Amino acid sequence: MALRESLLAWYSHYGRDLPWRHHSNPYAIWVAEVMLQQTQVKTVIPYYQRWLAQFPNVEKLATAELQQVFKLWQGLGYYARAHNLHKAAQQIVQQYEGMFPIRLEDVLALSGIGRTTAGGILSAAFNQPVAILDGNVKRVLARLIALSIPPVKATKHLWRLSEALLDPEQPRNFNQALMDLGATVCTPQNPTCNRCPWKLHCQAYHLNIQSQLPMRKTPAPIPHKLIGVAIIWNDQRQILIDRRPLGGLLGGLWEFPGGKIEPGETVEDCIKREIQEELGIEIEVGGHLITIDHVYTHLRVTLIVHHCRHVAGVPQPIQCDEIRWVTLDEVDLFPFPKANEKIIDALRQQA
Ligand code: SF4
């Protein structure tokens, strides 16, 4: 098939040299695939190298403390990925004696592994003919066929196309070539069609509509939450931090306590109420430290942060998993979400 041949010939010259392509170790490839799910290659590389230095195999990961895993992940975001890697490592040790499974259905049963990640691992590690359909591949295929609806509404069709195109003789190289084409040539903005091995076959190119594809779904408005956050100091110049319950957004990470400002409520009243509800203590709300805007995929938050003083009561982990009094220096030992790192920087600047 001309599409396969031209893509593979292009890949042999222009394919990216990436650290996880130097071997066929399924554990390392799996880690890279998961890191790459929401993060760019150049950001992933140092994380990948540090990860393998600390957790060189699935057993080391399975027996690590979750906090250690989160700490190593800090800065990559979407912490559910790290949590799932940890859980899946334990599944692999318990169910497969530490050997990465090779059957698609077994791989799909592991925590946090969807169809495209499974395809990426099985094709790269075992050269199995399993297709992929990540964001880059969806874009390339949508342009190739000039798809007139958003890819999200044509997922089944795009999967069938990816499967039909996949070279059964060279699935590893083919999938990697497809990913590289999307990442380096058929880019979201200004695709360099003149360098594309599929130029002759590409419908979008022939119709000169490549910049308008893929079609986008009209995004729903992103909800915005205002959050009052407390930096609670005690008389020993320690700060109170708490660990979010596992499972929810940013589950298992540490944070400065606080919560959503209700309509008609002042920031000060919100902070006092939240701290009473979450930790069962009384505080005095003091000066403003910093206000931070942060955007998650489906949510925008504004954190309004105030210094506070512990007045009465012993803190209880009522709506969190754990609480600690820590000094500003000790804060670095705990994994925090990105937005909270800005609070720590602001605290250091004031110290
Ligand atoms: S010709 Fe252009 S739009 Fe078509 S697949 Fe290649 S880079 Fe993408």
Side-chain angles (χ1 to χ4, degrees), residues 140 143-144 181 185-186 191-193 196-199 202 204-205 210:
V140 175
R143 285 173 174 167
L144 181 68
L181 187 68
V185 175
C186 195
T192 45
C193 302
C196 180
W198 281 359
K199 192 170 69 171
C202 177
Y205 176 73
Q210 59 273 43

Side-chain angles (χ1 to χ4, degrees), residues 150-170:
V152 71
K153 294 192 172 159
T155 313
K156 272 191 193 154
H157 182 62
L158 292 174
W159 269 112
R160 279 199 296 271
L161 182 57
S162 185
E163 283 165 351
L165 289 170
L166 179 64
D167 187 329
E169 307 294 326
Q170 302 185 61

Side-chain angles (χ1 to χ4, degrees), residues 107-272:
V107 177
L108 287 172
L110 296 172
S111 278
I113 300 195
R115 203 167 151 191
T116 209
T117 304
I121 300 166
L122 290 174
S123 60
F126 306 111
N127 207 23
Q128 284 190 36
V130 187
I132 55 168
L133 191 65
D134 66 2
N136 279 333
V137 176
K138 278 184 195 156
R139 183 174 59 254
V140 175
L141 299 185
R143 285 173 174 167
L144 181 68
I145 60 171
L147 185 69
S148 60
I149 53 174
V152 71
K153 294 192 172 159
T155 313
K156 272 191 193 154
H157 182 62
L158 292 174
W159 269 112
R160 279 199 296 271
L161 182 57
S162 185
E163 283 165 351
L165 289 170
L166 179 64
D167 187 329
E169 307 294 326
Q170 302 185 61
R172 173 189 291 127
N173 286 349
F174 184 89
N175 277 347
Q176 291 177 347
L178 198 48
M179 286 190 266
D180 286 7
L181 187 68
T184 63
V185 175
C186 195
T187 46
Q189 266 83 46
N190 307 318
T192 45
C193 302
N194 286 336
R195 296 198 289 121
C196 180
W198 281 359
K199 192 170 69 171
L200 289 179
H201 311 276
C202 177
Q203 296 298 313
Y205 176 73
H206 287 300
L207 297 167
N208 197 23
I209 54 170
Q210 59 273 43
S211 321
Q212 290 147 47
L213 296 182
M215 300 282 284
R216 280 184 193 83
K217 221 175 108 191
T218 317
I222 297 180
H224 180 203
K225 282 189 187 175
L226 287 175
I227 310 280
V229 177
I231 305 297
I232 306 170
W233 296 93
N234 66 12
D235 294 340
Q236 288 79 48
R237 296 296 295 163
Q238 291 170 311
I239 307 165
L240 195 61
I241 59 173
D242 70 77
R243 188 154 59 82
R244 294 174 68 93
L246 279 175
L249 178 71
L250 308 172
L253 297 183
W254 291 80
E255 65 174 7
F256 301 101
K260 186 168 164 255
I261 301 172
E262 298 295 347
E265 199 175 37
T266 65
V267 184
E268 286 82 358
D269 287 348
C270 158
I271 291 177
K272 275 190 183 174

